[in-house]
Amino acid sequence: MIRVENLSKSFGDLSVLNNITEEIKEGERVVIIGPSGGGKSTFLRCLNLLEKPTSGRIWVEDEEITSKKCNINAVRCKMGMVFQHFNLFPHKTALGNLTLAPRHTGRMEKRKAEEFGMELLERVGLKDKAYSYPAQLSGGQKQRVAIARSLAMKPHIMLFDEPTSALDPEMVGEVLDVMRGLADEGMTMVVVTHEMSFARDVGSRILFMCDGIIAEQGVPGKFFTNPENPRTQQFLNSIIQT
Amino acid sequence: MIPLILSSIREVPPLGWEEGLLWDIWNNLLRGDRPFMLLRGLGISARIAVFGAMIGWVIGFSVALIRISKSKILALLRAITTVYISVIRGVPLLVQLMIWWFVIVGSADADRLFVCIICFGVSSGAYVSEVFRAGILSVDKGQTEAGRSVGLSAFKTMTLIVFPQAVKNALPALVNDFTILFKDTSVVGFIGMVDMLRAANHITAFTFNSFIPLITVAIVYWSVVTPLIALMSRLERRLRKSDSR
Ligand SMILES: Nc1ncnc2c1ncn2[C@@H]1O[C@H](COP(=O)(O)OP(=O)(O)O)[C@@H](O)[C@H]1O
Ligand SMILES: [Mg+2]
């Protein structure tokens, strides 16, 4: 579904991703963990070209998005992205956040988009907040709206960049529940997170990223009980302690 | 009945106004054509300010977009906008106006009002572009990323997501710029426009009284600008409130 070949990215002199090759298959739930600054966000953002790779090639559903001919807007319609800081549109209601893209990319007309938007809000448990503005929502509610906003485009793939890191602890659960629901429905997901229990329960594969490479990967069972790379062991220990 | 009283007031002072300050007020502000001279002048100032501001917003927004873009194709345009802003900021408005009228237009038959509107529009565009630019830059980068990540084009992301927030952020400063523009219309007398100030001068030429016409002009300017400033403060306060995300 996503194929990455020899992906490298540097910001000026700073090399952030070093020659990464990886493939993500349909229905996989890939969880990326690793120390801060290791390149997780940059990797994720390269997958929908929010960052332009310095070199390497990326295919999404057999279309090369790093090719000049690619219409990236059309590809992004198929890939939802959820950000750490929600990035809801503050001048739109919750429902307005959901309907904006479907309407203005010509996918749905207003009524259809609103119907579908309400359906999604109900799914994330926020039907009663349809006409609230982001400023009136709690962090957990904002993130659930943000997830619904991505789903409004009926994506085939969802990318999550630390979706619960900016939340108060008591709100983490409600967001993870929504993500679990998505996983149960078979959504292809790539999730950067520090929530290890989520990684263990929901992830079908764990990637450990540090210093711009995927230093280790495996299925959750083996990865968490028996990591091979000393860096992984060190990282897992440090997380368990805190 | 009322028109009759009004027209008679224009010819003779009301009862009890036959001498002193009251007579001066009548003589300078109510007598003959004088009230209409001032009103017509106010109309001129208002038209220059309003139409000038509209042109300024269009120029300002376009220039702001050009200055923010990183495209190589627009490099020449960007250089031009830099020169434009520096010239407008560095040259007094009155000097700009005289150059427009005597140098660029150079014909006494041209429409003075039109030239004034163009001059004020071009001038205010430079200031407004900086206001818009700050407004656009104040919108979080995450907004653009969110817009692009749901598949909107760069143009739609700008117009549907960034621009509305930028305008909201810029609104107080835009109102402030407008009050400055409005007050600056008092220089148009220098190219022969009869604005309120010039009308007051004309009245003084007949009555030999400069106190009442000038104080009147000051009061009118003040009473137009003050509510706008109040509006600006309210917008600012509301902005600060909605910013607590
Ligand atoms: N836009 C950018 N400009 C310059 N450096 C950046 C930029 N984005 C990220 N970096 C740098 O790249 C490195 C990796 O960042 P990131 O991908 O955000 O790591 P992670 O998400 O794993 O914490 C960091 O050192 C960060 O400072
Ligand atoms: Mg990150």
Side-chain angles (χ1 to χ4, degrees):
Chain A
M1 197 144 198
I2 302 179
R3 201 144 58 82
V4 176
E5 213 177 85
N6 304 113
L7 170 66
S8 294
K9 170 74 185 174
S10 26
F11 295 104
D13 289 340
L14 181 71
S15 165
V16 176
L17 299 178
N18 291 315
N19 206 26
I20 293 180
T21 297
E22 188 54 65
E23 186 168 354
I24 293 163
K25 297 210 167 62
E26 187 166 356
E28 267 200 297
R29 298 169 305 274
V30 174
V31 176
I32 305 177
I33 62 172
S36 169
K40 305 182 296 297
S41 298
T42 308
F43 177 69
L44 206 63
R45 292 155 57 83
C46 280
L47 297 183
N48 68 355
L49 290 200
L50 280 186
E51 295 300 349
K52 203 165 166 288
T54 312
S55 67
R57 300 164 77 183
I58 301 171
W59 288 263
V60 172
E61 297 189 320
D62 293 324
E63 182 174 0
E64 187 186 346
I65 63 170
T66 38
S67 136
K68 281 209 165 59
K69 282 176 289 181
C70 168
N71 174 3
I72 188 61
N73 295 331
V75 176
R76 282 178 181 145
C77 292
K78 300 189 285 193
M79 308 175 83
M81 182 158 205
V82 176
F83 302 86
Q84 182 176 353
H85 295 286
F86 331 125
N87 298 348
L88 289 180
F89 309 134
H91 59 303
K92 299 276 179 196
T93 60
L95 185 60
N97 267 272
L98 267 62
T99 56
L100 185 81
R103 286 174 56 196
H104 290 279
T105 52
R107 303 211 129 196
M108 292 176 203
E109 45 170 274
K110 187 163 187 253
R111 262 205 40 206
K112 188 82 204 313
E114 280 177 354
E115 264 170 37
F116 186 51
M118 288 306 278
E119 220 173 278
L120 288 171
L121 283 175
E122 185 161 19
R123 219 171 110 186
V124 300
L126 290 172
K127 200 173 177 192
D128 56 326
K129 299 289 182 187
Y131 301 101
S132 302
Y133 283 88
Q136 300 163 310
L137 301 176
S138 74
Q141 292 171 335
K142 280 184 205 171
Q143 195 60 300
R144 285 187 278 156
V145 172
I147 294 173
R149 174 177 69 183
S150 293
L151 294 176
M153 293 299 285
K154 302 191 170 165
H156 308 169
I157 304 164
M158 287 286 286
L159 311 174
F160 295 84
D161 191 359
E162 302 201 23
T164 57
S165 295
L167 298 177
D168 293 334
E170 75 269 21
M171 293 174 181
V172 170
E174 63 193 62
V175 172
L176 292 182
D177 284 345
V178 170
M179 292 168 64
R180 279 200 182 90
L182 274 179
D184 291 343
E185 286 163 27
M187 175 69 80
T188 308
M189 295 162 71
V190 185
V191 184
V192 176
T193 186
H194 294 298
E195 296 294 328
M196 290 305 143
S197 62
F198 177 85
R200 198 167 321 171
D201 303 346
V202 180
S204 55
R205 187 152 58 103
I206 315 290
L207 307 185
F208 176 69
M209 270 192 87
C210 71
D211 301 331
I213 57 167
I214 297 172
E216 179 163 3
Q217 62 168 292
V219 293
K222 173 159 184 319
F223 183 92
F224 285 109
T225 51
N226 210 352
E228 284 161 13
N229 190 317
R231 288 292 310 262
T232 317
Q233 292 163 2
Q234 195 191 340
F235 178 75
L236 289 177
N237 284 338
S238 73
I239 288 223
I240 289 161
Q241 269 159 24
T242 50
Chain B
M1 188 69 190
I2 289 170
L4 203 73
I5 293 174
L6 278 181
S7 66
S8 76
I9 279 180
R10 295 173 60 191
E11 281 149 30
V12 285
L15 268 175
W17 290 43
E18 287 85 1
E19 55 190 336
L21 182 65
L22 287 176
W23 187 84
D24 275 336
I25 289 176
W26 171 75
N27 189 34
N28 283 283
L29 301 182
L30 301 175
R31 188 173 186 179
D33 199 27
R34 284 164 202 169
F36 303 105
M37 289 167 71
L38 288 171
L39 278 177
R40 270 196 299 271
L42 178 62
I44 297 275
S45 301
R47 260 176 287 174
I48 295 173
V50 169
F51 291 116
M54 286 181 183
I55 294 174
W57 290 336
V58 173
I59 296 179
F61 183 57
S62 319
V63 169
L65 283 186
I66 292 170
R67 285 170 67 74
I68 281 173
S69 96
K70 295 186 181 78
S71 137
K72 290 194 181 75
I73 310 161
L74 295 179
L76 179 68
L77 267 178
R78 262 202 304 281
I80 295 173
T81 60
T82 310
V83 174
Y84 159 65
I85 289 174
S86 135
V87 167
I88 298 291
R89 281 179 151 179
V91 178
L93 181 61
L94 177 54
V95 177
Q96 291 175 37
L97 181 67
M98 309 249 309
I99 290 175
W100 274 105
W101 181 248
F102 293 106
V103 181
I104 298 175
V105 175
S107 145
D109 301 331
D111 183 343
R112 284 187 164 80
L113 181 63
F114 182 73
V115 174
C116 284
I117 288 172
I118 295 294
C119 167
F120 276 68
V122 168
S123 167
S124 113
Y127 296 100
V128 167
S129 78
E130 292 295 280
V131 169
F132 271 134
R133 193 162 78 112
I136 291 171
L137 292 178
S138 73
V139 177
D140 185 57
K141 203 166 134 263
Q143 291 291 310
T144 309
E145 293 182 347
R148 296 309 304 275
S149 78
V150 284
L152 294 171
S153 65
F155 179 76
K156 285 204 163 142
T157 302
M158 179 49 85
T159 52
L160 296 170
I161 296 167
V162 177
F163 186 57
Q165 297 180 56
V167 169
K168 198 175 143 222
N169 293 346
L171 217 48
L174 286 177
V175 174
N176 186 50
D177 274 10
F178 179 78
T179 63
I180 294 173
L181 190 70
F182 177 63
K183 286 183 285 184
D184 278 349
T185 58
S186 56
V187 302
V188 297
F190 278 89
I191 65 161
M193 282 302 288
V194 185
D195 73 317
M196 208 172 22
L197 180 61
R198 195 42 64 109
N201 294 155
H202 287 174
I203 292 172
T204 301
F206 286 103
T207 62
F208 302 108
N209 180 322
S210 49
F211 174 76
I212 287 170
L214 284 179
I215 292 296
T216 305
V217 168
I219 290 173
V220 172
Y221 270 113
W222 179 86
S223 21
V224 173
V225 169
T226 306
L228 287 174
I229 300 277
L231 172 73
M232 180 182 80
S233 310
R234 244 177 70 184
L235 290 172
E236 258 172 351
R237 236 174 299 135
R238 188 179 308 170
L239 201 61
R240 236 175 290 134
K241 224 185 281 167
S242 76
D243 261 1
S244 53
R245 309 168 228 230

